[in-house]
């Protein structure tokens, strides 16, 4: 399934704001605008606002309240890093971020694990064949991760 195209960071923030409203979540957004402000433009000189192509990069960091603990960092390069209970999903396409969050908040995300070799993974399925899976690094699962275990 294709996701709605979110042409800008602001469009992605608006889509995530709608999901927060739908699930009754508090939301805080921090915007960084300009090449000298965004995290991936560390080589930009002080007060260098535009990228070499003349564009104005816009990055947003979003914190969503409630359980699970979720943050979303949207980068100007059309991707995002989404953290769920401190499990980081890097390089999620910006267009997939709303579907990713909807999957988490609607209860579709789940934890799987094995005894040997030991390990646990958080899996977030999206509509269609898109699935994200990351290892859980901590020894003790948070209450939300423990509730999401499937055998």
């Amino acid at each position: 399934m294709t996701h709605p195209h979110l042409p800008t960071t602001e469009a992605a923030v608006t889509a995530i704001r709608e999901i927060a409203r739908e699930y009754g979540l508090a939301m805080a957004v921090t915007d960084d605008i300009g090449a000298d402000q965004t995290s991936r433009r560390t080589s930009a000189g002080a007060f260098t606002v535009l990228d070499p192509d003349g564009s104005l990069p816009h990055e947003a960091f979003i914190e969503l309240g409630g359980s699970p603990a979720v943050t979303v960092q949207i980068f100007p390069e059309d991707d995002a890093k989404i953290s769920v209970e401190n499990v980081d999903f890097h390089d999620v396409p910006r267009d997939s971020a709303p579907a990713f969050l909807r999957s988490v908040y609607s209860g579709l995300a789940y934890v799987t694990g094995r005894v040997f070799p030991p390990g646990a993974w958080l899996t977030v399925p999206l509509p269609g064949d898109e699935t994200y899976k990351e290892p859980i690094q901590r020894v003790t699962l948070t209450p939300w991760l423990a509730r999401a275990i499937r055998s």
Side-chain angles (χ1 to χ4, degrees):
M1 174 181 177
T2 59
H3 305 289
H5 180 61
L6 302 171
T8 64
T9 296
E10 191 56 41
V13 170
T14 300
I16 293 169
R17 187 170 275 122
E18 183 56 38
I19 291 168
R21 197 173 299 121
E22 181 180 331
Y23 287 94
L25 306 169
M27 179 173 150
V29 180
T30 304
D31 292 293
D32 292 316
I33 299 174
D36 60 341
Q37 300 296 312
T38 57
S39 65
R40 292 184 177 168
R41 305 296 202 293
T42 53
S43 62
F47 309 110
T48 303
V49 176
L50 300 177
D51 275 344
D53 67 359
S55 65
L56 183 66
H58 178 191
E59 181 175 303
F61 182 77
I62 302 163
E63 293 179 87
L64 295 162
S67 181
V70 175
T71 61
V72 181
Q73 190 169 10
I74 302 171
F75 299 104
E77 296 85 6
D78 300 336
D79 69 321
K81 178 180 107 175
I82 302 175
S83 296
V84 179
E85 293 289 314
N86 294 313
V87 178
D88 293 336
F89 292 82
H90 294 272
D91 303 319
V92 175
R94 178 172 61 202
D95 291 352
S96 297
F100 186 105
L101 295 174
R102 197 173 298 285
S103 181
V104 168
Y105 289 114
S106 68
L108 295 176
Y110 59 93
V111 172
T112 55
R114 64 177 183 227
V115 176
F116 189 81
W121 291 265
L122 177 56
T123 302
V124 181
L126 274 56
D129 291 334
E130 199 173 356
T131 300
Y132 293 89
K133 184 176 181 178
E134 287 294 331
I136 299 170
Q137 300 297 333
R138 56 179 57 176
V139 176
T140 307
L141 297 178
T142 66
W144 184 87
L145 289 169
R147 284 192 302 273
I149 292 175
R150 290 189 190 163
S151 49

